[in-house]
Amino acid sequence: MTAHSEAPTPAGQAAASPRTAPAPLGPPPPFDPELAAVLDTFPGVEVPSLEEIPAMRGTALGNFPVPTLDELRAGGEFEIEKREVPGPAGDPDITLYLCRPADATGAIPVLYHTHGGGMILGDALTGLPQMLDEWTRDLGIGIVSVEYRLAPEHPDPAPVEDCYAGLVWTAEHAAELGFDPERIIIGGGSAGGGLAAGVALAARDRGGPALLGQLLMCPMLDDRNDTPSAVQMAGTGLWDREANHMGWTALLGERRGGPDVSPYAAPARAVDLAGLPPAFVDVGSAETFRDEDVAYASRLWACGVQTELHVWPGGFHGFDGIAPQAALSQTARTTRTEWLRRLLGE
């Protein structure tokens, strides 16, 4: 894979974070040995062109494991409902998957989930089995997962506006759904983490739903693709600098890296992070997003936002989903669950 040179950041638009790699830049941190053994079983991935992305979604490379609704219901343990709700003004309806424990009574907290996939892949069922197992079963949290439109067919602002519209609908209908409108948490991983952060910013700025917290797992935050870790990890791991360039270009087109990028699309562009809900941010030490995620957490602290940050040593992008039995993966997943438990006061 080849690295790309990115446009410099305009004055006033950039976050107060490092924009260029220091010289000299050392080799990437080593992968955790247990994770490296799993990563070695993956073949090299050819980054598709924008024109190839739609066809790729139907291949083994583009498919995430997708459960059926019956599988998600786990023999009646969980209630799963597919609901069509209004999308952004003038745009098509969007699909939400509403999940709750079958034996729940009263209003329960809910995690509003924005799935990953580099802005180009995945669907709203991606990752649901793990969330139901770890958060719905153990903590009694409901899950609402949103099906947003994908790039490049639907570039910015379609994905983030779909996610925002679904959040507004969820908050407005929380009582009838058995959810507590005062305990809505937004969360997602990778591109979904970036969308979660963008929706949290939009909710703050638009006077939208009040969020209890934001769970940002290895979030994709910065279209400029020029941090030390982006440069350092080029050609390494499952989502490197070239893949990141492609994902952001699919979403933003010629605006990628330039002065006219919305902070709702690329939250690292936000100038002011004050007034956001408490955040959990985690990322691997051996992945492209490491430095943009650490910088975002630092800026949240600087703006007075309670934030918990974890940098998992030797973790590659999405390691806990690829190698769920690895010790580091289990630690990461348990740590997220414990943050949710503390946030909910349980």
Side-chain angles (χ1 to χ4, degrees):
M1 295 183 180
T2 56
H4 292 269
S5 176
E6 304 302 319
T9 303
Q13 181 71 31
S17 60
R19 298 272 28 101
T20 57
L25 188 65
F31 294 122
D32 172 90
E34 193 176 9
L35 297 179
V38 176
L39 189 60
D40 286 343
T41 67
F42 281 74
V45 176
E46 187 74 23
V47 177
S49 67
L50 297 183
E51 294 74 21
E52 293 170 333
I53 290 171
M56 187 186 75
R57 294 189 191 119
T59 69
L61 175 62
N63 282 337
F64 290 76
V66 178
T68 67
L69 295 189
D70 280 343
E71 289 171 339
L72 289 172
R73 292 186 179 108
E77 184 177 2
F78 306 117
E79 295 175 353
I80 313 291
E81 178 186 356
K82 181 180 180 181
R83 184 82 66 97
E84 302 296 319
V85 307
D91 285 328
D93 288 352
I94 56 176
T95 299
L96 299 178
Y97 290 91
L98 313 174
C99 314
R100 53 181 286 120
D103 61 357
T105 58
I108 61 173
V110 59
L111 185 134
Y112 183 80
H113 174 243
T114 50
H115 71 79
M119 302 293 183
I120 61 171
L121 301 172
D123 67 22
L125 298 179
T126 303
L128 272 183
Q130 174 188 328
M131 291 185 288
L132 289 169
D133 181 52
E134 298 178 2
W135 301 337
T136 303
R137 178 178 289 122
D138 292 349
L139 299 179
I141 294 177
I143 307 289
V144 174
S145 192
V146 57
E147 194 78 83
Y148 58 86
R149 288 170 289 175
L150 299 174
E153 300 97 316
H154 304 286
D156 177 67
V160 73
E161 292 299 337
D162 284 355
C163 294
Y164 183 77
L167 174 67
V168 170
W169 185 90
T170 298
E172 290 176 346
H173 294 81
E176 69 188 67
L177 298 171
F179 299 138
D180 184 345
E182 296 184 359
R183 293 193 292 170
I184 300 175
I185 303 160
I186 193 166
S190 191
L195 287 166
V199 171
L201 285 163
R204 179 200 65 180
D205 295 345
R206 299 172 184 177
L211 296 169
L212 183 65
Q214 49 182 330
L215 177 62
L216 311 180
M217 300 171 284
C218 56
M220 180 178 176
L221 299 173
D222 197 339
D223 64 295
R224 291 163 293 198
N225 202 21
D226 62 357
T227 63
S229 59
V231 175
Q232 191 179 44
M233 298 302 299
T236 304
L238 295 181
W239 185 262
D240 82 330
R241 197 181 191 202
E242 185 178 0
N244 203 37
H245 177 98
M246 178 271 300
W248 281 114
T249 302
L251 182 70
L252 299 173
E254 294 182 354
R255 289 184 293 136
R256 182 204 48 77
D260 300 319
V261 174
S262 165
Y264 306 145
R269 298 290 197 133
V271 174
D272 182 10
L273 301 181
L276 290 170
F280 178 101
V281 181
D282 73 347
V283 67
S285 69
E287 70 160 293
T288 299
F289 296 150
R290 181 193 67 216
D291 292 334
E292 65 194 66
D293 292 356
V294 170
Y296 196 73
S298 296
R299 294 183 56 234
L300 285 166
W301 286 322
C303 290
V305 178
Q306 185 66 270
T307 302
E308 182 169 326
L309 170 67
H310 295 271
V311 181
W312 302 113
F316 58 78
H317 185 65
F319 67 89
D320 60 294
I322 300 296
Q325 300 307 315
L328 191 68
S329 300
Q330 294 185 44
T331 299
R333 291 162 70 161
T334 298
T335 302
R336 294 171 194 147
T337 300
E338 290 307 308
W339 178 79
L340 286 169
R341 193 186 306 277
R342 292 193 303 275
L343 184 69
L344 295 169
E346 297 187 358

